[in-house]
Amino acid sequence: MADYLRINRDNWNARVPVHVASSFYDVAGFRSGRSPLRAFEIEEVGEVTGRSLVHLQCHFGLDTLSWARLGAEVTGLDLSDAAIDQAERIAAECGIPARFVTADVYDAPEALGATYDIVYTGIGALVWLPDLARWAETVARLLKPGGFLYVADFHPFTEVLDDETGTKVTNDYFDRGPHVWDYPHTYTGPEVLEHQTSVEFRHGMGEIVTAVANAGLRLEFLHEHDHTLFRRFGTFTERDGGYRPPAGAPRIPLMFSLRATASPAGSGVPGG
């Protein structure tokens, strides 16, 4: 879909003021020291003090700035100029050093003009990308030798299940889209958006892992998680730090995380 980028930019620009004002993002809590990062992300990424980190598709930067609070030298990139304006404002208000750049993720190497120890992409990012092979190649260009990619996202398996119970297969796992949606609201509340159309692209787990491997990165781990961040299915309950199926129901993969490393300098291995 040739104009997906314009459609999604308009949609995300419309979401920004709604999200900033929402309890879901809790900007006031962030200003007072709350971190939106998930515990498993902090554990799996590890020590970031003094390391350069770029957050692709950073929205208005709360995750990005949380990595800065943990000691990283951070850069955030997003296609939404409204989101980047808010990220810069919040960084200034909180006194957190950070660089933010408005650009499409595929243009990141040219827009940023730098390489990084860590490329981080957070929850809900991959569904907006039509070409994962090109994305992974972009990531590889952004990494310093020996640096790594870290991805945490919703598990693609959840997209095949019915929204009410999460127990019936109702969608085609291999239907990559594009999927065009017209929703008056965003996920944070009932406010009506000015631009309501968005375009998404589904990617299977095999496609994700293969794209990373073909870009010359060495997979360190792929973890699947049995909880998610919101009531993804109508029967889910909130407990143990996330949303899960009802007690006694079979568990399913709801999120995943992976880490993949660029070859060290001078190794002669592709991607180095």
Side-chain angles (χ1 to χ4, degrees):
M1 187 172 185
D3 57 349
Y4 81 94
L5 198 62
R6 176 191 57 79
I7 292 170
N8 286 342
R9 181 184 293 110
D10 289 345
N11 179 254
W12 279 96
N13 277 342
R15 295 188 196 204
V16 168
V18 175
H19 287 183
V20 171
S22 71
S23 59
F24 182 92
Y25 281 97
D26 187 17
V27 174
F30 175 82
R31 289 191 180 105
S32 66
R34 181 190 68 84
S35 172
L37 297 174
R38 279 56 59 178
F40 72 83
E41 293 181 285
I42 296 172
E43 178 182 354
E44 292 175 350
V45 170
E47 180 61 59
V48 297
T49 300
R51 307 194 76 182
S52 57
L53 179 150
V54 62
H55 180 183
L56 301 180
Q57 300 166 269
C58 69
H59 198 20
F60 61 94
L62 297 192
D63 286 5
T64 322
L65 296 173
S66 295
W67 290 115
R69 281 177 169 166
L70 292 174
E73 300 169 359
V74 302
T75 298
L77 179 141
D78 198 90
L79 64 81
S80 165
D81 53 309
I84 293 302
D85 287 346
Q86 285 290 340
E88 291 175 335
R89 183 174 294 115
I90 293 169
E93 291 170 351
C94 295
I96 302 174
R99 177 193 180 200
F100 287 99
V101 176
T102 304
D104 177 27
V105 67
Y106 295 125
D107 298 328
E110 293 76 21
L112 297 172
T115 54
Y116 300 86
D117 298 313
I118 303 167
V119 173
Y120 168 79
T121 182
I123 307 295
L126 298 184
V127 73
W128 304 102
L129 302 174
D131 187 340
L132 278 198
R134 185 181 173 195
W135 163 79
E137 291 163 2
T138 299
V139 167
R141 290 175 61 193
L142 290 170
L143 283 171
K144 294 180 179 179
F148 66 86
L149 163 70
Y150 180 80
V151 177
D153 213 325
F154 298 117
H155 201 292
F157 178 74
T158 62
E159 295 302 318
V160 309
L161 303 174
D162 70 291
D163 289 335
E164 179 53 36
T165 69
T167 62
K168 302 175 184 176
V169 175
T170 58
N171 298 309
D172 184 345
Y173 180 81
F174 296 97
D175 181 4
R176 300 295 183 242
H179 300 278
V180 180
W181 308 107
D182 287 289
Y183 289 143
H185 315 294
T186 181
Y187 48 82
T188 61
E191 294 84 0
V192 176
L193 298 176
E194 179 181 359
H195 298 282
Q196 300 176 4
T197 304
S198 63
V199 184
E200 299 181 8
F201 308 86
R202 293 179 183 155
H203 306 287
M205 190 60 69
E207 182 185 359
I208 296 168
V209 173
T210 299
V212 170
N214 284 347
L217 305 180
R218 180 181 63 83
L219 186 68
E220 293 185 44
F221 60 73
L222 169 62
H223 294 155
E224 297 172 295
H225 305 277
D226 65 355
H227 62 280
T228 190
L229 307 182
F230 66 105
R231 186 169 281 107
R232 174 63 181 84
F233 302 105
T235 57
F236 274 25
T237 59
E238 185 177 9
R239 66 182 193 281
D240 301 329
Y243 287 90
R244 304 168 186 272
R251 294 180 297 166
I252 59 175
L254 295 167
M255 291 194 293
F256 75 93
S257 54
L258 68 80
R259 178 166 157 163
T261 306
S263 301
S267 67
V269 178

